[in-house]
Amino acid sequence: MFSIKRISLVGIVVIMVVMLFGCGGSSQVIHKESAEPTIEPVESSESVGTDSKEIRTVKDAKGDIEIPANPLRIADISGSTEELLVLGFKPILTGNTEMGNPLEITPILKKELPDVSTAGWFQTEVNLEAIIAASPDLILAGPTQEKIYDQLTMIAPTVMVPHGFNAFRERFEFVAQVFDKKIEMDEWLKEYDQRAQQLHEQVVDITKQETFAVIEATQKEIRIYSRTGIADLIFHDLGLPQAPGTPEPDPWGGKVTSLEGLATFDPDHVILLSDNDQNVLEQSNIWSNLKAAKSGNVYRMTSRQNYNEAFFALGKKVVMEEIAGQIMNHIKQ
């Protein structure tokens, strides 16, 4: 009886030792895996039977941050969805939505990302529940999301893009650096700038040194643009002469102007941003007396086209071709 008890006791001791060493070994593996170094890339241990994952350390508006080296589920609420497509990524959620309908993605993205979900317009408050439901492994947020940054980081690693939609090239370059895609960005910009130069030469061959203005007209006000969006396309990308008297812009790239202020502002050509002809500008006698209106050198675009397309990579190409085409077709008639 004693021998049986002794054998049982020995067996129990052996089992406890095995369990002790087993737990100790397991503890070492977990500790090693959880201590993620900041160098890039880093592979998590495969000895515990998990999938191999890589991380990269990048610098954003908040400092250094670790992100997946190969993210598969990107939620973009920074306004960079079109640039991500150029770089070879297809976000599963976007904040690039219609100016007038924050739940509807822009027409260009409907073609490129028919199944993408939305979280609202990236320039306003976004829907955190929609982001959670998308289960992202990486979030791109912009300056507008500064107040919810801590909440976003609880959902997934969050990169704070320091440039808003008014700074297209700076935003594009930052996003390309985050994903180590500078070569792809440079190739796209080179092709874009070459096409802009071709269109510049074709337009000025017809218009010579005639001047241009970008005017937005609503039912309540007139705004003359000199930067951002379509104005950036006209004066920077296409390099067309800016009309004398163009006012210094506010942060949105334009300046609200009275009808009387147009009396001394007389461009040869006007790109008119208006969703319809029921606006304060076209209902005035001052408009009909402008040189551009008398000559028929008015090229209509909508405010929706401006804000939905002219601030982003794919849309800029479409809008630039359309405006240059309008000018050349009109002058050749």
Side-chain angles (χ1 to χ4, degrees), residues 57-59 68 82 103 129 140 146 164 202 236 238 267 270 277:
T57 299
V58 300
K59 185 179 290 292
E82 292 188 18
L103 299 180
E129 292 181 358
L140 293 189
E146 179 72 31
Q202 293 171 15
H236 180 273
L238 291 175
V270 169
D277 58 6

Side-chain angles (χ1 to χ4, degrees), residues 31-266:
H31 176 74
K32 181 180 180 181
E33 184 178 299
S34 63
E36 298 172 339
T38 58
I39 58 175
E40 54 180 290
V42 178
E43 289 195 12
S44 61
S45 172
E46 296 183 1
S47 62
V48 293
T50 59
D51 293 334
S52 174
K53 295 181 180 178
E54 295 182 349
I55 62 171
R56 295 178 61 245
T57 299
V58 300
K59 185 179 290 292
D60 69 356
K62 294 287 186 178
D64 291 337
I65 178 176
E66 291 181 349
I67 67 171
N70 300 293
L72 300 177
R73 300 183 61 80
I74 301 172
D76 171 47
I77 51 174
S78 72
S80 304
T81 297
E82 292 188 18
E83 290 71 57
L84 287 171
L85 287 169
V86 169
L87 299 176
F89 298 94
K90 288 191 173 184
I92 47 90
L93 179 140
T94 183
N96 284 62
T97 59
E98 283 270 6
M99 183 186 78
N101 185 355
L103 299 180
E104 188 80 13
I105 62 173
T106 59
I108 287 178
L109 291 182
K110 283 182 180 179
K111 298 177 183 178
E112 300 290 336
L113 297 170
D115 299 321
V116 71
S117 60
T118 65
W121 190 36
F122 71 97
Q123 281 295 109
T124 58
E125 292 185 6
V126 292
N127 188 329
L128 283 170
E129 292 181 358
I131 299 172
I132 294 171
S135 299
D137 58 6
L138 180 65
I139 299 171
L140 293 189
T144 310
Q145 287 82 47
E146 179 72 31
K147 293 181 179 179
I148 60 170
Y149 172 76
D150 291 338
Q151 294 166 281
L152 293 171
T153 60
M154 295 176 68
I155 302 172
T158 300
V159 173
M160 286 296 292
V161 180
H163 306 289
F165 80 120
N166 282 349
F168 164 70
R169 291 181 185 252
E170 293 85 350
R171 189 183 73 248
F172 195 1
E173 182 175 6
F174 177 85
V175 172
Q177 289 176 346
V178 166
F179 293 101
D180 196 21
K181 294 284 186 178
K182 188 175 185 304
I183 293 175
E184 289 81 353
M185 179 200 71
D186 288 341
E187 290 176 350
W188 188 91
L189 285 175
K190 180 180 178 181
E191 179 183 337
Y192 176 83
D193 289 336
Q194 286 177 342
R195 180 55 179 159
Q197 181 60 31
Q198 290 175 350
L199 292 173
H200 164 82
E201 293 171 359
Q202 293 171 15
V203 171
V204 298
D205 185 55
I206 300 171
T207 61
K208 308 304 179 184
Q209 293 301 311
E210 293 177 349
T211 61
F212 288 78
V214 178
I215 303 176
E216 182 179 42
T218 69
Q219 292 181 338
K220 296 181 178 180
E221 67 180 23
I222 304 164
R223 181 180 289 266
I224 301 174
Y225 282 95
S226 60
R227 287 205 325 257
T228 75
I230 286 178
D232 189 55
L233 282 169
I234 295 297
F235 303 124
H236 180 273
D237 300 347
L238 291 175
L240 301 179
Q242 192 175 92
T246 300
E248 286 296 313
D250 60 21
W252 284 87
K255 190 76 171 180
V256 174
T257 306
S258 66
L259 281 169
E260 292 72 20
L262 287 178
T264 57
F265 183 67
D266 204 15

